[in-house]
Amino acid sequence: MPLLPSKSRLAHIVFEHDDKASKNFDLLILVLILGSLLVVILDSEPSFYSKYHQEFLAIEWIFTGLFTIEYAVRIWLSNKKWGYIFSFYGLVDLLAIIPTYLSLIFVGTQFLVVVRALRLLRVVRILKLGRFLKEAEVLKSALLASRQKIQLFIGTVLTIVLIAGTIMFVVEGPEGGFTSIGMSMYWAIVTLTTVGYGDISPITPYGKFLASVIMLLGYAIIAVPTGIVTSELTMANSRSIKIKKKKKMCKSCDSGNQNLDAIYCNYCGEKF
Amino acid sequence: MPLLPSKSRLAHIVFEHDDKASKNFDLLILVLILGSLLVVILDSEPSFYSKYHQEFLAIEWIFTGLFTIEYAVRIWLSNKKWGYIFSFYGLVDLLAIIPTYLSLIFVGTQFLVVVRALRLLRVVRILKLGRFLKEAEVLKSALLASRQKIQLFIGTVLTIVLIAGTIMFVVEGPEGGFTSIGMSMYWAIVTLTTVGYGDISPITPYGKFLASVIMLLGYAIIAVPTGIVTSELTMANSRSIKIKKKKKMCKSCDSGNQNLDAIYCNYCGEKF
Amino acid sequence: MPLLPSKSRLAHIVFEHDDKASKNFDLLILVLILGSLLVVILDSEPSFYSKYHQEFLAIEWIFTGLFTIEYAVRIWLSNKKWGYIFSFYGLVDLLAIIPTYLSLIFVGTQFLVVVRALRLLRVVRILKLGRFLKEAEVLKSALLASRQKIQLFIGTVLTIVLIAGTIMFVVEGPEGGFTSIGMSMYWAIVTLTTVGYGDISPITPYGKFLASVIMLLGYAIIAVPTGIVTSELTMANSRSIKIKKKKKMCKSCDSGNQNLDAIYCNYCGEKF
Amino acid sequence: MPLLPSKSRLAHIVFEHDDKASKNFDLLILVLILGSLLVVILDSEPSFYSKYHQEFLAIEWIFTGLFTIEYAVRIWLSNKKWGYIFSFYGLVDLLAIIPTYLSLIFVGTQFLVVVRALRLLRVVRILKLGRFLKEAEVLKSALLASRQKIQLFIGTVLTIVLIAGTIMFVVEGPEGGFTSIGMSMYWAIVTLTTVGYGDISPITPYGKFLASVIMLLGYAIIAVPTGIVTSELTMANSRSIKIKKKKKMCKSCDSGNQNLDAIYCNYCGEKF
C-alpha cells in the first residue's frame, strides 16, 4: 500500500462525492468556506474590526492559501485543464481566491468584500450531488413550468407599481416623502410586497385612501404567485407518484390494474 | 421590388405581430414607450429636474412627435378610421400624446404626469398577441371562476376593517394616532394586510391586545384568497391537461372523445 | 287594485329577497345602512366634527327614525312577534337604533360609536340569500373541515409567541422596548405575522439574531394555514364538480361512463 | 367502596386521558399551568411588579408546591421510576418546579423566567392524546414529507440573505444603518420575510433600487414554501380519503383491497 493515494484516486476524492474519503473532503471544503465567510462577516463588524483586524487578515490569508492549493490541485488533477478553468465551477473557485490577492493592489476597496461573499456559491457544487438533487429537480421543474405565468405576474406588478407610484407622487406631494416618481415607485413596491418599512408613508387623507386600495390589491395578488407555484408543484408531485406506481399485469388475460401482492388475477382467476 | 412597402404591407407591419418586420416594429414602439416613461420618471427627480429639465422637455417633445406620427399612420392605415379612434387601443394611443400638447395650455399641472404614465398601457397591445396570451387566459379564467369568492372575501375584510377600526378608535384614542374612525380603518387595513408601516400603532395595553387579535386574524384569513386562487388554478391546469390527453378516434366517422376501452363508436355505432 | 299592498304582500317585500319589489326594498335598506355608517365615520373626523357636528346629529336622527319605523314594521308584519324580536336579526335590528336613543341619556360616551358600527351586521341579512350564498357555503365548509387543524396551528403559534416573547424579554431588556413579557409577546405576534410596525425592535446583536430566527420561522409557518385552507378548498371544489358530472347509462348493457351526447353505447353498440 | 381510589386507579387518572376522572385531572393541570404562566407574565409588567410582587411570589410558591406534589405523585405511581424521571415528559415536569427553588439560591437571575415559561411545554402532554392527535399526524407527515424541500428552501434563503446583505453593506454604507455585514443580513431577513420594521432601511437611490429587487424576490419566493406544504397536505388528504373508500371484500378469504369490478379474488382465486 503506497504512502499517498494514486493520482486517479485523488481525482476521485476531489471531484466525486460518493465514498467516505470524497465525502470527508467535501466536508473539509464546506467547513473552510463557511469559516472564511464567518471571518468576512465578523471583520465587517466595527467593534471587532478595531480590535482584531490584524488577526482576521492573517486568518483570511491562511484560508486563501488553502483555497489556492485546492485550486492548483484541481487544475493538476483535471484531464482537460482549460476546460476546468473556464467551467462555471472553475471560475467560482478562482473568484474565491482572487479578491485577497487583489486587495494587495487595490487597498481599501470594499467591492472585494462582495466578491469574497460569492465564495458561498462554491457550496453549491458540494450540495449538487447530494440528497437534495431530486428535490431541487422537482422544484426547478415546477418553477420552469410556471415561468411564463411568473413573468406575466411580474409584468403586471411592475405596471401597478409604475401607475400607483405616479398617482401617489401627484396626490401626496413631497411632505410624506414622495419626492419623485422613483421614490413613489419604491414606496409602492414596499407596500405591495407588504414589507412596509414606514420610512415613506402617506399623510394626506386622499393618499391614505389610495394606499389602502393598493394594500388590499397587494393582499389579493400575493395569492397569484402562490397559486401558480402550488398548482405546478402539486402536478409535479402527482406526476412523480404516477411514475412510481407500477402495475402488475396478468400474462394470461393481459389485464393490468392488479394489486402488487396479488396471487390470482382479478379478471380471469389465473394464478400468477 | 418597390422602395417603400405597399399600404397593405404597412398595415400588416403596424397591426399584426406575426413576422419579422411586424415584430421589429413592436420592439421599436416598446423601446419608445419605455424610453418616454424613463424620461417622465427621471424628470420628477428634484436633483435631475433642476439640472436637466430643458433637455428632458426636448426629449419628451421628440417622443411625442414620434407617437403623433405613429398615431396618424395608424389612423391612415385603418379601414374603419372612427372605429380605431374610439377603440380602447385608439384612445390609449391618443392619451399617450395629448398630455404633452395640453401642457402648453395648462402650465405646471402635475395631473398630466399621471396621464403620461398611462402610456404603459400601450405595452399591453404589444404583449397581447405574444407568447403570454395562453398563460394570461388560464390566469384570467381562474380569477373569473373565483370572482364571487373573492368579492365575498373583500366584503368580509371590509367588515372586519370597519368594526376593528371603530373598536380601536374607541379603545386607543388620539394619542396613538387613532384620531378618527377613518384613520383607525386605515390602520386596520395596514395591519390586516401585514404591511405594518408603524406610522400609527397602539400604545395602550388594551389596544395592543386587540391589535394582536386582529393581526392573528389577518394572518389566518390571508390563507383564504390564496386558497381560492390556488384551487381554481389547479383545476384550470388539470382541465387543460385533460384536453391534451389523446382520445380514441373513430376511423369511420372521425369523431374523438371515445372511452379508451370502447368497443363501439359513441356516434356512428361502428365496431372498432 | 288597492292603493296600498296587502299585509301579506308587504311581509313578502320586507322579509323575502326574490322579486323586484323585495330587491328594491333590500337595496333601500342597504343604502340607508351604508349612509348611516358614513355619517358615523365622518363625524369621528375632528375637522368635520367641529364644523358639521350639528348637521351629522340631525342626519343621524333621521336615519334612526327610519330604522325605528322599519323595526316597528318588521314586528308588525311578523307572525311570531317575540320570535322575531329575540332572533339574531331582530337583536341586530334593535342594536341599530338603540345607541342613538341611549346617547340622550349617556352624553358623550364613545362606546356607543362601536355599537353603531355594528349596524354593518345588518348587511349580512340582505346578502344572505343573494348570489353569494353558494360560495359562502363552500368557503364555510372548507373552513369547518380544517377547524381542528387551524386550532392546532393557533395553539402552536401562541406557544411560539409565549416562549419567543419570554426569551426576548430576558435577552433584550427594556432598552429596545421589551419592558415586560406581555410587551415581548406583542412584539412576537407583530413579528411572526410579518406585520412589523417597528415600534418595538431588537437592538442588541443577540436580540437581532433571535429575531431573525423567529422571522424565518414565521415565514415558514405562514405556509401551514394557507396549505390547510387550500387543500380543503381544492377538495370541496372537486367534490362539487363530481356531483355536477352526470353519467349517461346504457339501459341495454348497464354500463356508464358514456359521453353525454353519445348516440351508441361504447360497450354493446346499442342505439340510445 | 374505599375512601381513596386504589393506586392503579390513581395511575390511570394521572397518566391516561380516556375517562371522566382522568380528563378532569388533565383540565386541573391545564388550569394550573396557564395560571402559573399568567403570574409569570403579569409579574414581568413593571407597574404590576412594583405593586404586587410579594403577592405574585406567594402565588408562585403555591403553584410550585402543587407541581412538586404532582411530580412526586407521578414518580410514586410510575412502575419504572427512573424511566419516568429521565423521559422527555419527566424532565419537562422537573423543569416546571426547579426554577422557583433555584431562585432562592440565584437571586435576581432573569434567566429562570425563561425556564418557567417552558412550563407551557407541559401542555403538550395533555393535548397529545386528545382530539388533535389525528390532525397533528396529518400535518406532521406533510411537513416530514416536504422536509428536504424545506431544507433546500432555507439554504437558498440564507444564501440570498448573505449575498444581499454583503451587497447592501457595500452599496449603502453606515448612514442607513448598514454598519456591518451582520447588520445587513439582519436587514435582508427583515425584508425578505416582509416583516419590515423600518429600523434599518436604505436611503441612497442605489440601495433603494437593490432593496426593491430583494423585496420582489422575497414576494416571489414566499410562494415556494406555501406551495410545498400545500401540495403535500393535498396529497396527505387525498391519501387518507382513498384509505377511507370502501374496498370490495372477498367473503371467502376476508381480504379487502380488490378492484371494484373484480370477478376473482386477488388472494384466494375464489369467484365473487
Side-chain angles (χ1 to χ4, degrees):
Chain A
M1 199 182 142
L3 198 69
L4 268 171
S6 69
K7 189 178 167 184
S8 72
R9 178 77 190 114
L10 258 180
H12 186 97
I13 291 171
V14 170
F15 289 111
E16 300 300 321
H17 318 260
D18 54 1
D19 61 2
K20 215 173 150 47
S22 59
K23 279 185 179 166
N24 282 341
F25 181 77
D26 285 350
L27 196 65
L28 177 72
I29 297 293
L30 185 62
V31 167
L32 287 181
I33 293 170
L34 295 181
S36 73
L37 287 173
L38 195 68
V39 169
V40 172
I41 291 172
L42 292 178
D43 192 36
S44 80
E45 203 74 48
S47 59
F48 288 128
Y49 183 91
S50 56
K51 278 195 220 152
Y52 305 112
H53 182 57
Q54 291 310 315
E55 286 82 348
F56 285 140
L57 213 65
I59 301 171
E60 175 64 28
W61 275 108
I62 294 170
F63 278 125
T64 305
L66 290 170
F67 288 145
T68 309
I69 295 168
E70 185 213 346
Y71 184 61
V73 168
R74 278 184 193 272
I75 293 178
W76 172 58
L77 290 172
S78 292
N79 291 325
K80 299 177 180 176
K81 293 190 199 316
W82 289 109
Y84 164 70
I85 290 170
F86 290 109
S87 71
F88 173 70
Y89 291 120
L91 292 172
V92 168
D93 290 348
L94 186 62
L95 270 177
I97 52 173
I98 241 175
T100 319
Y101 294 113
L102 284 182
S103 68
L104 291 178
I105 312 171
F106 307 101
V107 181
T109 36
Q110 283 204 304
F111 168 72
L112 295 172
V113 173
V114 177
V115 184
R116 222 168 267 163
L118 291 177
R119 270 179 196 165
L120 195 63
L121 290 179
R122 299 194 65 208
V123 174
V124 176
R125 181 191 6 220
I126 296 166
L127 296 179
K128 207 184 64 152
L129 291 168
R131 58 202 169 112
F132 295 110
L133 190 60
K134 213 186 64 193
E135 302 297 336
E137 217 44 55
V138 172
L139 278 180
K140 204 177 124 192
S141 81
L143 288 175
L144 272 180
S146 50
R147 198 182 53 243
Q148 291 200 324
K149 285 205 199 73
I150 286 172
Q151 284 173 10
L152 188 70
F153 175 73
I154 289 174
T156 311
V157 166
L158 289 181
T159 306
I160 294 174
V161 162
L162 176 65
I163 291 176
T166 311
I167 294 176
M168 285 301 282
F169 168 63
V170 171
V171 166
E172 265 292 312
E175 297 85 31
F178 297 81
T179 51
S180 66
I181 293 183
M183 213 68 152
S184 289
M185 286 172 71
Y186 167 70
W187 169 85
I189 291 174
V190 169
T191 300
L192 261 187
T193 56
T194 79
V195 171
Y197 289 131
D199 51 350
I200 308 174
S201 64
I203 47 170
T204 66
Y206 307 105
K208 285 193 153 128
F209 179 76
L210 271 168
S212 300
V213 173
I214 293 166
M215 276 176 245
L216 288 174
L217 203 67
Y219 196 53
I221 62 176
I222 205 173
V224 175
T226 309
I228 293 168
V229 174
T230 305
S231 74
E232 292 296 340
L233 264 179
T234 308
M235 302 224 303
N237 266 338
S238 61
R239 261 196 301 274
S240 69
I241 278 177
K242 265 178 198 148
I243 291 163
K244 272 187 214 154
K245 270 189 194 164
K246 275 176 227 143
K247 288 281 152 61
K248 194 167 192 170
M249 294 292 295
C250 176
K251 284 162 210 154
S252 166
C253 74
D254 221 38
S255 67
N257 197 22
Q258 312 276 340
N259 295 313
L260 281 174
D261 58 344
I263 305 162
Y264 300 94
C265 172
N266 255 165
Y267 302 101
C268 68
E270 185 78 16
K271 203 171 177 178
F272 287 122
Chain B
M1 201 182 143
L3 200 68
L4 269 169
S6 68
K7 190 177 166 183
S8 72
R9 178 76 190 115
L10 258 179
H12 186 97
I13 291 171
V14 171
F15 290 111
E16 301 300 321
H17 318 259
D18 55 1
D19 61 1
K20 215 174 152 45
S22 61
K23 278 183 180 167
N24 282 340
F25 181 77
D26 284 351
L27 197 66
L28 177 72
I29 297 293
L30 185 63
V31 168
L32 287 181
I33 292 170
L34 296 181
S36 73
L37 287 173
L38 196 68
V39 169
V40 172
I41 291 171
L42 292 179
D43 192 34
S44 80
E45 202 74 48
S47 59
F48 287 129
Y49 182 90
S50 57
K51 277 196 218 152
Y52 306 112
H53 182 56
Q54 291 309 316
E55 286 82 349
F56 284 140
L57 213 64
I59 301 171
E60 175 63 27
W61 275 107
I62 295 171
F63 278 123
T64 304
L66 290 171
F67 288 144
T68 309
I69 295 169
E70 186 213 346
Y71 185 59
V73 167
R74 278 183 193 272
I75 293 178
W76 172 58
L77 289 172
S78 292
N79 290 324
K80 298 176 181 178
K81 292 189 200 315
W82 289 109
Y84 164 70
I85 289 169
F86 290 109
S87 71
F88 174 70
Y89 291 121
L91 290 172
V92 168
D93 291 348
L94 187 62
L95 270 177
I97 52 173
I98 238 173
T100 319
Y101 294 112
L102 285 182
S103 68
L104 290 178
I105 310 171
F106 307 101
V107 181
T109 36
Q110 283 203 304
F111 169 71
L112 294 172
V113 172
V114 176
V115 184
R116 223 168 265 162
L118 291 178
R119 269 179 196 165
L120 195 63
L121 290 180
R122 298 195 64 208
V123 173
V124 176
R125 181 189 7 219
I126 296 165
L127 295 179
K128 206 184 66 153
L129 292 168
R131 58 203 170 110
F132 295 110
L133 191 59
K134 214 186 63 193
E135 300 298 336
E137 217 43 54
V138 172
L139 278 180
K140 205 177 122 192
S141 81
L143 288 175
L144 273 179
S146 50
R147 199 183 51 244
Q148 292 200 323
K149 284 204 200 75
I150 287 172
Q151 283 173 11
L152 188 71
F153 175 73
I154 289 173
T156 310
V157 166
L158 289 181
T159 306
I160 294 173
V161 162
L162 176 66
I163 291 175
T166 311
I167 294 176
M168 285 301 282
F169 168 64
V170 171
V171 166
E172 266 290 314
E175 297 84 30
F178 298 81
T179 51
S180 67
I181 294 182
M183 211 69 151
S184 288
M185 287 172 70
Y186 166 72
W187 168 85
I189 290 175
V190 169
T191 300
L192 261 187
T193 56
T194 78
V195 171
Y197 289 131
D199 50 352
I200 307 173
S201 64
I203 46 171
T204 66
Y206 307 105
K208 286 193 152 128
F209 179 76
L210 272 169
S212 300
V213 173
I214 293 166
M215 277 177 246
L216 288 173
L217 203 66
Y219 196 53
I221 62 176
I222 206 175
V224 175
T226 309
I228 293 168
V229 174
T230 305
S231 75
E232 293 296 339
L233 264 179
T234 308
M235 302 223 304
N237 266 338
S238 60
R239 262 197 300 275
S240 68
I241 279 177
K242 265 177 199 150
I243 291 164
K244 274 187 211 153
K245 269 188 194 163
K246 269 177 284 169
K247 287 281 153 60
K248 193 169 190 170
M249 294 292 295
C250 175
K251 283 162 210 155
S252 164
C253 73
D254 221 39
S255 67
N257 198 22
Q258 313 277 342
N259 294 315
L260 281 173
D261 58 344
I263 306 161
Y264 300 94
C265 172
N266 255 164
Y267 302 100
C268 68
E270 185 78 16
K271 203 171 176 177
F272 287 121
Chain C
M1 200 182 143
L3 200 69
L4 269 170
S6 67
K7 191 178 167 183
S8 72
R9 177 77 190 115
L10 258 179
H12 186 98
I13 291 171
V14 171
F15 289 111
E16 301 300 320
H17 316 260
D18 55 2
D19 60 3
K20 217 174 149 47
S22 61
K23 278 185 180 165
N24 282 340
F25 181 78
D26 285 352
L27 197 66
L28 177 73
I29 298 293
L30 186 62
V31 168
L32 287 181
I33 293 169
L34 296 181
S36 74
L37 287 172
L38 196 68
V39 169
V40 172
I41 291 171
L42 292 179
D43 192 36
S44 80
E45 203 74 47
S47 59
F48 286 128
Y49 183 89
S50 57
K51 278 196 218 153
Y52 306 112
H53 183 54
Q54 292 309 316
E55 286 83 348
F56 285 140
L57 214 63
I59 301 171
E60 176 63 28
W61 274 108
I62 294 171
F63 278 124
T64 305
L66 290 171
F67 288 145
T68 309
I69 294 169
E70 186 212 345
Y71 184 60
V73 168
R74 278 183 194 272
I75 293 178
W76 173 57
L77 289 172
S78 293
N79 291 323
K80 298 177 180 175
K81 293 190 200 313
W82 290 109
Y84 164 71
I85 288 169
F86 290 108
S87 71
F88 174 68
Y89 291 120
L91 291 172
V92 169
D93 290 347
L94 186 63
L95 271 178
I97 51 173
I98 239 172
T100 318
Y101 294 112
L102 285 182
S103 69
L104 291 178
I105 311 168
F106 308 101
V107 180
T109 36
Q110 284 204 302
F111 168 70
L112 294 173
V113 172
V114 176
V115 184
R116 222 167 268 163
L118 291 178
R119 271 179 196 165
L120 196 63
L121 290 180
R122 299 195 63 209
V123 174
V124 176
R125 184 197 357 225
I126 296 166
L127 296 178
K128 206 184 66 153
L129 292 169
R131 59 204 169 109
F132 295 111
L133 190 61
K134 214 185 64 193
E135 301 297 335
E137 218 43 54
V138 172
L139 279 180
K140 205 177 123 193
S141 82
L143 288 175
L144 273 179
S146 49
R147 198 181 52 244
Q148 292 200 324
K149 285 205 200 75
I150 287 172
Q151 283 173 10
L152 188 71
F153 176 73
I154 289 174
T156 311
V157 166
L158 289 180
T159 306
I160 294 173
V161 162
L162 176 66
I163 292 175
T166 311
I167 295 175
M168 285 302 282
F169 168 65
V170 171
V171 167
E172 266 292 313
E175 297 86 29
F178 298 81
T179 50
S180 67
I181 293 182
M183 211 68 149
S184 289
M185 286 172 72
Y186 166 72
W187 168 85
I189 291 175
V190 169
T191 300
L192 260 187
T193 57
T194 78
V195 171
Y197 288 131
D199 50 350
I200 308 173
S201 63
I203 46 170
T204 65
Y206 306 106
K208 285 193 153 126
F209 180 75
L210 271 168
S212 300
V213 173
I214 292 166
M215 277 177 246
L216 288 174
L217 204 66
Y219 196 53
I221 62 176
I222 206 175
V224 175
T226 309
I228 293 167
V229 174
T230 304
S231 75
E232 292 296 341
L233 264 181
T234 308
M235 302 223 304
N237 266 337
S238 61
R239 261 196 301 274
S240 68
I241 279 177
K242 263 177 201 150
I243 292 163
K244 273 189 213 152
K245 271 187 194 165
K246 277 175 223 143
K247 289 280 154 60
K248 195 168 191 168
M249 294 292 295
C250 175
K251 284 161 210 155
S252 165
C253 74
D254 222 41
S255 67
N257 198 21
Q258 313 276 340
N259 295 313
L260 280 174
D261 58 345
I263 304 161
Y264 299 95
C265 172
N266 255 166
Y267 301 100
C268 68
E270 185 77 15
K271 202 174 179 177
F272 287 122
Chain D
M1 198 181 141
L3 199 70
L4 268 171
S6 68
K7 190 177 167 184
S8 74
R9 177 79 189 115
L10 258 180
H12 186 97
I13 291 170
V14 170
F15 289 111
E16 300 301 320
H17 316 262
D18 54 1
D19 60 2
K20 216 175 149 45
S22 60
K23 278 184 180 168
N24 283 340
F25 181 77
D26 284 352
L27 196 65
L28 176 72
I29 298 292
L30 185 63
V31 168
L32 287 180
I33 293 169
L34 296 181
S36 73
L37 287 173
L38 196 68
V39 169
V40 172
I41 291 172
L42 291 179
D43 192 36
S44 81
E45 202 73 46
S47 59
F48 288 128
Y49 183 90
S50 56
K51 278 196 220 152
Y52 307 112
H53 183 55
Q54 292 310 317
E55 286 82 349
F56 285 140
L57 213 64
I59 302 172
E60 176 64 27
W61 274 107
I62 296 171
F63 278 124
T64 305
L66 290 171
F67 289 144
T68 310
I69 294 168
E70 186 212 345
Y71 185 60
V73 168
R74 278 183 192 273
I75 294 178
W76 172 57
L77 290 172
S78 292
N79 291 324
K80 298 177 180 176
K81 293 189 197 317
W82 289 110
Y84 163 71
I85 289 169
F86 289 110
S87 71
F88 173 69
Y89 291 120
L91 291 172
V92 168
D93 291 347
L94 187 62
L95 271 177
I97 52 173
I98 240 173
T100 318
Y101 294 111
L102 284 182
S103 69
L104 291 177
I105 311 170
F106 307 101
V107 181
T109 36
Q110 283 204 302
F111 168 71
L112 294 172
V113 173
V114 176
V115 184
R116 222 168 267 165
L118 290 177
R119 272 178 194 167
L120 194 63
L121 289 180
R122 299 194 64 209
V123 174
V124 176
R125 179 187 12 212
I126 296 166
L127 295 179
K128 208 185 63 153
L129 291 169
R131 58 200 169 115
F132 295 110
L133 190 59
K134 214 186 63 192
E135 301 297 335
E137 218 42 56
V138 172
L139 278 180
K140 204 177 124 193
S141 81
L143 287 175
L144 273 179
S146 50
R147 198 182 54 244
Q148 291 198 325
K149 285 205 199 75
I150 287 172
Q151 284 172 11
L152 188 70
F153 175 74
I154 288 174
T156 311
V157 166
L158 289 181
T159 307
I160 294 174
V161 162
L162 176 66
I163 291 175
T166 311
I167 294 176
M168 285 302 282
F169 168 64
V170 171
V171 166
E172 265 292 312
E175 296 86 30
F178 298 82
T179 50
S180 66
I181 293 181
M183 212 68 150
S184 289
M185 286 172 71
Y186 167 71
W187 168 85
I189 290 175
V190 169
T191 301
L192 260 187
T193 56
T194 79
V195 171
Y197 289 132
D199 50 350
I200 308 173
S201 63
I203 45 170
T204 66
Y206 307 105
K208 286 193 153 127
F209 180 76
L210 272 168
S212 300
V213 173
I214 292 165
M215 277 177 245
L216 288 173
L217 204 67
Y219 196 53
I221 62 176
I222 205 175
V224 175
T226 309
I228 293 167
V229 174
T230 305
S231 75
E232 292 297 341
L233 264 180
T234 308
M235 302 224 304
N237 267 337
S238 61
R239 260 196 302 274
S240 68
I241 278 177
K242 265 178 200 149
I243 291 162
K244 274 187 212 155
K245 270 189 194 160
K246 271 178 287 170
K247 287 282 153 59
K248 193 169 190 169
M249 295 290 295
C250 175
K251 284 161 211 154
S252 165
C253 74
D254 221 40
S255 66
N257 198 20
Q258 313 276 339
N259 294 313
L260 280 174
D261 59 344
I263 304 162
Y264 300 94
C265 171
N266 256 165
Y267 302 100
C268 67
E270 185 76 15
K271 202 173 180 179
F272 287 122

